[in-house]
Amino acid sequence: MPVSPRPFAEADVHAFVDGQMDFDRRAAFMQAMSTDSDLQARVDGWRRQNDALTSTFGTVVAEPVPVRLMPTSLNRDWRGASTKSAPSDQGTAPAAGTARRRRLGPVAIAFAGFLAGGAATIAAGSAGLMPLTLTAAYPVPPAAVSNQRGLPLRAYEAHRTYATDLNHPVEVGAADEPHLLKWVQHRLAMPVRIPDLRREGWTLLGGRVLPGDLGPAAFLLYGNGIDRLGLYMARTNLPQADGYTLYDDGTGVASVAYWVDEPVGYAITTSRDSAWLQRNGPALFKSIRAQARDNASAL
């Protein structure tokens, strides 16, 4: 008689260990595991491997991605490698530098795949990170390049939508700040940081990723027990600015102070009027810019 197929494939084992199996199938899997010592052993083996990987590489996954491995650098090297001519028919070996550049494309793709997939399953809570290469593939809307008001308007809308929400103003809370930082850096594909504004009287509440003119943007939210302060960060094509510019549409909903440290655009948002930003903006601007530049110089 033919042998009955195994009720659970290896993919089911992985789904169970990674917590991605639906409820009904999970119940059946656990029942089968209680009477199948081989199935139990396979589950235990994959759990031990997950624990070992987390113990060995967990801190590495939490590190910011180096600038040289950002999508723009990877794509540039890949394009350079793909345009090199092939070796001649005489069998002449390519120069060492050329061969190294040809190998860089597959290595870059493999590394980006690891960041998007493998690393996400190693660190607890890091599921859902998008591959870095997706951010580089975002088309640039022509209007966004010359739209000087795009940055403050995006920040204004983020504040109006999220900072005024009493129940769910952020998606990732301050208690999980390391995950929030990794998420923001991966989606923006830039080594930005989360500024510490406690000296200015503001404590981080959390943040989220949301759409921007040139791809994903980040909106961080701070509080002082009375008010909420937003910080919008996004890739921009606007020119470098030595100071900040105030934006207030006169509705009294929110006011914005924005500036550019290429290629990142920053905007402070508040439900107070522009007069409040004129008084308090300089200290916030100075602190945020100093921390951002310290971060850039450390990379």
Side-chain angles (χ1 to χ4, degrees):
M1 295 180 62
V3 178
S4 300
R6 300 179 67 92
F8 295 101
E10 195 67 17
D12 293 307
V13 178
H14 288 285
F16 177 81
V17 173
D18 294 338
Q20 298 180 1
M21 182 177 284
D22 63 70
F23 181 81
D24 292 337
R25 190 159 180 80
R26 181 180 177 86
F29 186 92
M30 293 180 67
Q31 182 177 4
M33 191 168 55
S34 66
T35 59
D36 188 336
S37 58
D38 178 64
L39 185 60
Q40 176 69 62
R42 285 191 290 157
V43 169
D44 292 342
W46 283 116
R47 281 175 171 168
R48 285 193 299 271
Q49 185 180 91
N50 280 355
D51 292 342
L53 288 170
T54 302
S55 175
T56 305
F57 299 110
T59 57
V60 177
V61 174
E63 294 176 358
V65 178
V67 173
R68 67 181 184 277
L69 295 175
M70 288 298 177
T72 52
S73 298
L74 295 179
N75 290 346
R76 182 176 61 250
D77 290 334
W78 170 241
R79 287 194 298 269
S82 64
T83 57
K84 298 297 180 181
S85 58
S88 65
D89 292 337
Q90 283 78 16
T92 303
T98 302
R100 183 167 56 254
R101 285 190 293 273
R102 284 177 180 161
R103 292 194 300 269
L104 182 57
V107 171
I109 293 173
F111 185 83
F114 168 76
L115 287 174
T121 60
I122 293 173
S126 63
L129 297 181
M130 300 300 291
L132 292 177
T133 50
L134 288 184
T135 305
Y138 271 87
V140 177
V145 177
S146 59
N147 185 4
Q148 298 289 327
R149 299 180 65 197
L151 177 62
L153 284 176
R154 287 279 192 178
Y156 173 89
E157 289 298 331
H159 188 95
R160 189 178 71 166
T161 302
Y162 300 113
T164 58
D165 190 325
L166 298 179
N167 297 318
H168 303 288
V170 300
E171 188 166 348
V172 178
D176 202 4
E177 184 176 344
H179 172 60
L180 175 61
L181 176 61
K182 287 190 299 177
W183 184 33
V184 167
Q185 289 180 335
H186 276 73
R187 295 312 311 274
L188 272 63
M190 296 186 294
V192 294
R193 69 176 297 171
I194 297 176
D196 184 348
L197 301 180
R198 287 175 293 181
R199 288 187 177 182
E200 288 69 43
W202 298 92
T203 301
L204 179 69
L205 301 178
R208 66 176 64 241
V209 171
L210 65 171
D213 284 332
L214 305 183
F219 185 64
L220 307 176
L221 201 60
Y222 298 80
N224 63 1
I226 301 174
D227 293 330
R228 288 175 175 176
L229 185 80
L231 177 62
Y232 180 88
M233 301 185 294
R235 186 180 297 276
T236 182
N237 284 338
L238 297 179
Q240 184 82 14
D242 294 328
Y244 63 85
T245 302
L246 293 178
Y247 170 80
D248 189 340
D249 70 348
T251 64
V253 175
S255 54
V256 179
Y258 67 98
W259 68 94
V260 175
D261 268 336
E262 293 180 331
V264 187
Y266 296 87
I268 301 170
T269 66
T270 175
S271 297
R272 301 292 190 97
D273 58 17
S274 56
W276 185 92
L277 270 181
Q278 286 179 331
R279 295 191 304 270
N280 297 277
L284 293 166
F285 165 75
K286 182 178 179 181
S287 177
I288 295 169
R289 168 165 275 191
Q291 292 183 58
R293 291 184 171 180
D294 286 346
N295 181 60
S297 63
L299 297 174

